[in-house]
Amino acid sequence: MAETPIDFLLSRRSVRFVEAPGPTDEELSLIFQAAVRAPDHGKLRPWRFALLRGDAIARLVDFAIASVNASDHPMRPEKEASTRRWLARVPVLIAVACRLDYSNPRIPEHERMLSTGAAVTHMLIAAHTLGYGAYWSTGLGTSNSEVAAALGFDPLDYRFMGYVTLGTPIDPPRPVIRPEWSEFVAQWTGPLT
Ligand SMILES: Cc1cc2nc3c(=O)[nH]c(=O)nc-3n(C[C@H](O)[C@H](O)[C@H](O)COP(=O)(O)O)c2cc1C
């Protein structure tokens, strides 16, 4: 029986280890179209993305590792080596930021960030639908202001929210254990006393 859209959605999982080929320009356009359909209070459009492919990823890796290693929290050598090995095979990386934009004080900052998170979730689902592996991570200098600025996300105006890596899964999918949804849902029928 053909997989229905809901089966497909429920089968999404993060895939960290990917290789070329990555999404084509047309597929990236679909992934970004999905992103900009995220819920967005006040049409603030807070989501910002930097698209990196091939050599640009290698340049970011060198820059970010140098920057992190010059900071008070250098990477352990094993972590640096495993990060380099992982990202050397990744064909597409999207750095994600939220534009803080204080011109609209009615809508609080956390709603801009929630919208950006929703945009990323849409991207992860779109990538899964297109048959690619995708993974959101906040390593590689996400909390380092030099790295954020180098990607175009000046910390005064943006909150840098990590990276989405995209590509063809290297390994066959392994089963994932998901939580039982009912553990997180309470039926509410009126004010609690
Ligand atoms: C904002 C955010 C940042 C994340 N950063 C990392 C990270 O740096 N390293 C990591 O191992 N997982 C990170 N994760 C978790 C993975 O993206 C992923 O959700 C997790 O591996 C579980 O896989 P699943 O999405 O299939 O449930 C992050 C998730 C979110 C929402």
Side-chain angles (χ1 to χ4, degrees):
M1 204 166 69
E3 247 191 329
T4 63
I6 192 69
D7 292 329
F8 215 78
L9 177 63
L10 295 182
S11 69
R12 187 211 66 83
R13 87 255 321 269
S14 295
V15 180
R16 180 167 182 229
F17 296 103
V18 294
E19 62 187 357
T24 62
D25 287 350
E26 291 71 28
E27 288 168 330
L28 281 169
S29 162
L30 292 169
I31 290 168
F32 285 120
Q33 286 181 56
V36 303
R37 278 155 179 73
D40 169 24
H41 191 181
K43 294 193 167 50
L44 296 180
R45 278 81 158 119
W47 347 276
R48 293 294 182 278
F49 307 102
L51 172 63
L52 288 77
R53 291 195 257 196
D55 288 351
I57 299 176
R59 283 194 286 278
L60 169 71
V61 169
D62 286 343
F63 181 88
I65 288 177
S67 201
V68 170
N69 284 345
S71 74
D72 294 340
H73 305 286
M75 269 183 171
R76 283 178 290 108
E78 320 81 73
K79 177 71 183 166
E80 175 181 332
S82 67
T83 301
R84 285 187 183 279
R85 269 198 308 279
W86 163 44
L87 290 170
R89 297 185 75 173
V90 166
V92 173
L93 178 149
I94 298 169
V96 180
C98 172
R99 184 170 174 243
L100 298 171
D101 178 14
Y102 294 109
S103 66
N104 186 332
R106 193 175 57 86
I107 296 168
E109 181 178 301
H110 72 268
E111 294 195 17
R112 294 157 169 77
M113 293 196 205
L114 287 168
S115 180
T116 307
V120 173
T121 300
H122 279 198
M123 294 167 85
L124 299 177
I125 294 167
H128 176 59
T129 305
L130 294 165
Y132 292 101
Y135 175 71
W136 188 1
S137 67
T138 40
L140 197 66
T142 301
S143 55
N144 178 304
S145 54
E146 242 179 37
V147 177
L151 284 161
F153 305 134
D154 184 323
L156 285 178
D157 297 318
Y158 301 92
R159 179 69 59 87
F160 179 29
M161 305 190 88
Y163 306 95
V164 176
T165 46
L166 292 160
T168 300
I170 293 174
D171 304 309
R174 276 185 296 180
V176 206
I177 296 169
R178 294 299 185 188
E180 169 54 47
W181 65 267
S182 56
E183 289 172 25
F184 308 95
V185 181
Q187 187 111 256
W188 193 88
T189 53
L192 302 171
T193 53

